[in-house]
mmCIF file of all heavy atoms in Angstrom:
data_model
loop_
_atom_site.group_PDB
_atom_site.id
_atom_site.type_symbol
_atom_site.label_atom_id
_atom_site.label_comp_id
_atom_site.label_asym_id
_atom_site.label_seq_id
_atom_site.Cartn_x
_atom_site.Cartn_y
_atom_site.Cartn_z
ATOM 1 N N SER A 338 10.264 29.533 -19.516
ATOM 2 C CA SER A 338 9.757 29.482 -18.155
ATOM 3 C C SER A 338 9.753 28.056 -17.621
ATOM 4 O O SER A 338 9.148 27.175 -18.233
ATOM 5 C CB SER A 338 8.333 30.041 -18.096
ATOM 6 O OG SER A 338 7.744 29.785 -16.844
ATOM 7 N N PRO A 339 10.395 27.806 -16.492
ATOM 8 C CA PRO A 339 10.361 26.468 -15.905
ATOM 9 C C PRO A 339 9.081 26.207 -15.132
ATOM 10 O O PRO A 339 8.839 25.095 -14.677
ATOM 11 C CB PRO A 339 11.564 26.486 -14.962
ATOM 12 C CG PRO A 339 11.645 27.908 -14.516
ATOM 13 C CD PRO A 339 11.229 28.728 -15.710
ATOM 14 N N ILE A 340 8.253 27.244 -14.985
ATOM 15 C CA ILE A 340 7.041 27.113 -14.174
ATOM 16 C C ILE A 340 5.854 26.677 -15.014
ATOM 17 O O ILE A 340 5.145 25.722 -14.693
ATOM 18 C CB ILE A 340 6.717 28.444 -13.467
ATOM 19 C CG1 ILE A 340 7.862 28.836 -12.529
ATOM 20 C CG2 ILE A 340 5.412 28.329 -12.681
ATOM 21 C CD1 ILE A 340 7.665 30.169 -11.862
ATOM 22 N N TYR A 341 5.620 27.349 -16.132
ATOM 23 C CA TYR A 341 4.405 27.115 -16.898
ATOM 24 C C TYR A 341 4.593 26.178 -18.085
ATOM 25 O O TYR A 341 3.632 25.776 -18.720
ATOM 26 C CB TYR A 341 3.830 28.456 -17.368
ATOM 27 C CG TYR A 341 3.339 29.282 -16.213
ATOM 28 C CD1 TYR A 341 4.140 30.256 -15.633
ATOM 29 C CD2 TYR A 341 2.080 29.070 -15.675
ATOM 30 C CE1 TYR A 341 3.701 31.009 -14.560
ATOM 31 C CE2 TYR A 341 1.630 29.811 -14.595
ATOM 32 C CZ TYR A 341 2.441 30.782 -14.052
ATOM 33 O OH TYR A 341 2.000 31.513 -12.987
ATOM 34 N N ARG A 342 5.825 25.837 -18.408
ATOM 35 C CA ARG A 342 6.141 24.864 -19.448
ATOM 36 C C ARG A 342 5.382 25.171 -20.739
ATOM 37 O O ARG A 342 5.557 26.218 -21.340
ATOM 38 C CB ARG A 342 5.851 23.453 -18.930
ATOM 39 C CG ARG A 342 6.724 23.079 -17.731
ATOM 40 C CD ARG A 342 6.463 21.642 -17.289
ATOM 41 N NE ARG A 342 7.306 21.261 -16.175
ATOM 42 C CZ ARG A 342 6.976 21.449 -14.894
ATOM 43 N NH1 ARG A 342 5.813 21.975 -14.588
ATOM 44 N NH2 ARG A 342 7.798 21.097 -13.939
ATOM 45 N N ASP A 343 4.514 24.261 -21.195
ATOM 46 C CA ASP A 343 3.859 24.410 -22.492
ATOM 47 C C ASP A 343 2.884 25.589 -22.541
ATOM 48 O O ASP A 343 2.508 26.032 -23.627
ATOM 49 C CB ASP A 343 3.105 23.127 -22.870
ATOM 50 C CG ASP A 343 4.046 21.969 -23.126
ATOM 51 O OD1 ASP A 343 5.246 22.230 -23.386
ATOM 52 O OD2 ASP A 343 3.597 20.812 -23.055
ATOM 53 N N LEU A 344 2.454 26.083 -21.382
ATOM 54 C CA LEU A 344 1.521 27.206 -21.369
ATOM 55 C C LEU A 344 2.242 28.536 -21.555
ATOM 56 O O LEU A 344 1.611 29.562 -21.781
ATOM 57 C CB LEU A 344 0.741 27.227 -20.049
ATOM 58 C CG LEU A 344 -0.205 26.053 -19.798
ATOM 59 C CD1 LEU A 344 -0.782 26.153 -18.399
ATOM 60 C CD2 LEU A 344 -1.318 26.029 -20.823
ATOM 61 N N SER A 345 3.574 28.542 -21.445
ATOM 62 C CA SER A 345 4.319 29.793 -21.455
ATOM 63 C C SER A 345 4.848 30.139 -22.835
ATOM 64 O O SER A 345 5.352 29.279 -23.559
ATOM 65 C CB SER A 345 5.484 29.721 -20.468
ATOM 66 O OG SER A 345 6.243 30.904 -20.506
ATOM 67 N N ILE A 346 4.736 31.426 -23.200
ATOM 68 C CA ILE A 346 5.387 31.943 -24.401
ATOM 69 C C ILE A 346 6.865 32.161 -24.109
ATOM 70 O O ILE A 346 7.708 32.017 -24.974
ATOM 71 C CB ILE A 346 4.717 33.259 -24.828
ATOM 72 C CG1 ILE A 346 3.248 33.005 -25.188
ATOM 73 C CG2 ILE A 346 5.431 33.884 -26.017
ATOM 74 C CD1 ILE A 346 2.468 34.266 -25.441
ATOM 75 N N GLY A 347 7.172 32.497 -22.861
ATOM 76 C CA GLY A 347 8.551 32.711 -22.459
ATOM 77 C C GLY A 347 8.629 33.748 -21.353
ATOM 78 O O GLY A 347 7.615 34.258 -20.873
ATOM 79 N N ARG A 356 -0.284 31.602 -21.723
ATOM 80 C CA ARG A 356 -1.501 31.457 -22.530
ATOM 81 C C ARG A 356 -2.642 30.986 -21.631
ATOM 82 O O ARG A 356 -2.504 30.014 -20.900
ATOM 83 C CB ARG A 356 -1.284 30.438 -23.640
ATOM 84 C CG ARG A 356 -0.222 30.839 -24.661
ATOM 85 C CD ARG A 356 -0.121 29.781 -25.744
ATOM 86 N NE ARG A 356 0.848 30.161 -26.776
ATOM 87 C CZ ARG A 356 2.108 29.770 -26.791
ATOM 88 N NH1 ARG A 356 2.556 28.961 -25.833
ATOM 89 N NH2 ARG A 356 2.925 30.153 -27.746
#
Side-chain angles (χ1 to χ4, degrees):
S338 170
I340 299 176
Y341 293 96
R342 297 183 179 89
D343 293 340
L344 294 174
S345 178
I346 297 172
R356 296 182 177 95

